[in-house]
Amino acid sequence: MAAHEVGSRGAQTRAAILRAARERFAAQGYERTTIRAVAADADIDPSMVMRYFGNKEKLFDEALAVDLRLPDLGAVPESELPQALVRHFVERWEGDPSDDALLVLLRSAVTNERAAQRMRETFAGQVAPALAAALGPERAARVAGLVAAQLLGLGLARYLLRLPGVVSLSADAVVAGLTPAVRATLAESG
Amino acid sequence: MAAHEVGSRGAQTRAAILRAARERFAAQGYERTTIRAVAADADIDPSMVMRYFGNKEKLFDEALAVDLRLPDLGAVPESELPQALVRHFVERWEGDPSDDALLVLLRSAVTNERAAQRMRETFAGQVAPALAAALGPERAARVAGLVAAQLLGLGLARYLLRLPGVVSLSADAVVAGLTPAVRATLAESG
DNA sequence: GTCTATAATTCGATAGAC
DNA sequence: GTCTATCGAATTATAGAC
């Protein structure tokens, strides 16, 4: 066995730690998540977490990396843009809410300024450009904030707060209910 | 001086503690807020907090009490309902974001299940009935969740995450931008 | 009512054996 | 690479003097 083989136990251990950390951060936020608990979830010793990630903050930083995987919205007709946006986020969250980096980020960003900064960067770097490809930079700049507020508000109410009136809806009903709202916001931008 | 006079130093101290606690909880959430910091803000000894409130959790419970002060929406024409709703929440938050129990509740509810429960109770007990007075119980039940998601999404993006595209808008622009979205959601309920 | 002192935990981080 | 042991710091909460 070579010393640096791909998929070595070290790399697997590191991935297992990161996976456990994402789940803990997503479920409890930064402060309540302890390195000890992450280590227990990953079935390793707490000192291993320190060895692989240095400290709790650096582990947090890696757990916050989010790729929204937005499609090319420039290829979507504007009439279908609202539904495409809402559906993308709903499907993304519906997949595995407990292990989604976006939910980690959302939950953490509310009480942690570092995570809030990452959230701002994520939207500035991924949502705003995707909207600009569909609407042009001027219109996108005017509506990106309010559209983000609506999409994040959905995630907040359905997956974090679990408001009954939102949880009780099917995924399709959520898409159907929120699409007209996003459409109205986009229409405002002329 | 009578033993139980109104506005005694005890009552004032208690109120000062609760005020300081709301600010700390609103700014930092439950976990990062320490009794020591609350006591320092209120210029009293940490043990006084324990004396008046028993423990940190009970202090938290009192800080979470929220009166949304919603007007009687039954008296508002349906055409003006969306703007009245959005404006009420914006003005409420714009007033003094650092000392608003609703922001305390929102920030805390994301990482604290007890606070999340209080948030669900607050919306079930105040927003849902107000909407029912305007739309009737059936329509209100269908849209209350999505309307709440939009209003909370605004508070989240503007006051907690501070997304640039939302922070840069004036209060009037926020009302103008979000009102059509709420209107579209209400229209869906037929 | 207010304060000092401290008990009892919990956690992040380090040192070092193997 | 993995583990044991422990340090040092911070916090909630209590006991009790004044």
Side-chain angles (χ1 to χ4, degrees):
Chain A
M1 303 197 219
H4 298 288
E5 72 182 317
V6 177
S8 64
R9 192 153 86 242
Q12 289 179 353
T13 300
R14 195 177 198 284
I17 294 171
L18 194 54
R19 199 178 323 122
R22 282 223 170 89
E23 288 187 21
R24 283 276 172 182
F25 284 134
Q28 305 177 324
Y30 180 79
E31 340 295 349
R32 297 177 67 111
T33 295
T34 67
I35 288 182
R36 287 164 153 83
V38 169
D41 290 349
D43 268 314
I44 50 106
D45 191 86
S47 65
M48 286 287 91
V49 178
M50 307 300 296
R51 178 174 181 85
Y52 281 105
F53 293 91
N55 58 34
K56 182 178 176 180
E57 204 170 15
K58 289 178 185 170
L59 172 63
F60 189 52
D61 273 343
E62 291 211 32
L64 292 183
V66 174
D67 180 0
L68 295 178
R69 298 193 291 268
L70 282 168
D72 176 14
L73 298 180
V76 177
E78 186 170 334
S79 63
E80 298 174 15
L81 184 59
Q83 175 163 1
L85 265 175
V86 176
R87 181 170 293 284
H88 178 81
F89 275 83
V90 169
E91 285 178 352
R92 162 114 210 194
W93 274 319
E94 217 69 23
D96 186 357
S98 73
D99 187 31
D100 192 308
L102 181 54
L103 278 182
V104 179
L105 189 55
L106 180 53
R107 187 171 323 249
S108 306
V110 169
T111 51
N112 185 286
E113 179 51 30
R114 173 183 292 255
Q117 176 63 25
R118 292 288 290 271
M119 178 67 90
R120 292 191 285 268
E121 291 168 2
T122 299
F123 270 78
Q126 297 182 47
V127 176
L131 277 178
L135 302 174
E138 294 83 3
R139 287 184 64 197
R142 261 174 293 171
V143 298
L146 289 178
V147 169
Q150 288 174 320
L151 295 173
L152 290 177
L154 171 65
L156 172 76
R158 185 171 170 91
Y159 304 102
L160 299 187
L161 301 181
R162 304 193 64 76
L163 295 184
V166 188
V167 172
S168 63
L169 300 174
S170 69
D172 283 345
V174 169
V175 174
L178 202 61
T179 293
V182 173
R183 188 188 310 280
T185 300
L186 293 185
E188 279 298 290
S189 71
Chain B
M1 303 197 220
H4 299 287
E5 73 182 314
V6 178
S8 64
R9 193 153 85 239
Q12 290 178 352
T13 299
R14 198 188 144 86
I17 293 171
L18 193 55
R19 199 178 322 121
R22 282 222 170 90
E23 288 187 22
R24 284 277 171 180
F25 284 135
Q28 306 177 324
Y30 180 80
E31 333 330 36
R32 297 177 69 108
T33 294
T34 66
I35 288 183
R36 286 165 151 80
V38 169
D41 291 349
D43 268 313
I44 50 106
D45 191 87
S47 66
M48 286 288 89
V49 179
M50 306 300 296
R51 178 174 180 85
Y52 281 104
F53 294 90
N55 58 34
K56 184 179 174 180
E57 203 169 16
K58 289 178 184 169
L59 171 64
F60 189 51
D61 273 343
E62 291 211 32
L64 291 183
V66 174
D67 180 359
L68 294 178
R69 298 192 291 269
L70 282 168
D72 176 12
L73 296 180
V76 177
E78 185 169 333
S79 62
E80 299 174 15
L81 184 58
Q83 175 163 1
L85 264 176
V86 176
R87 182 171 293 284
H88 178 80
F89 274 84
V90 169
E91 285 178 353
R92 163 110 211 199
W93 273 321
E94 216 69 24
D96 186 358
S98 73
D99 187 30
D100 191 309
L102 181 54
L103 278 182
V104 179
L105 189 55
L106 180 53
R107 195 183 301 264
S108 306
V110 169
T111 51
N112 186 288
E113 179 51 31
R114 174 183 291 256
Q117 176 64 24
R118 292 289 288 271
M119 178 66 90
R120 292 190 285 267
E121 291 168 3
T122 299
F123 270 78
Q126 297 182 47
V127 176
L131 277 178
L135 302 174
E138 293 85 3
R139 286 184 63 197
R142 260 174 294 171
V143 298
L146 288 178
V147 169
Q150 288 175 323
L151 295 173
L152 290 177
L154 171 65
L156 172 76
R158 185 171 170 92
Y159 304 103
L160 298 188
L161 302 181
R162 303 193 66 74
L163 294 184
V166 188
V167 172
S168 63
L169 300 174
S170 68
D172 284 345
V174 169
V175 174
L178 202 60
T179 294
V182 173
R183 189 187 310 279
T185 300
L186 294 185
E188 279 298 291
S189 73

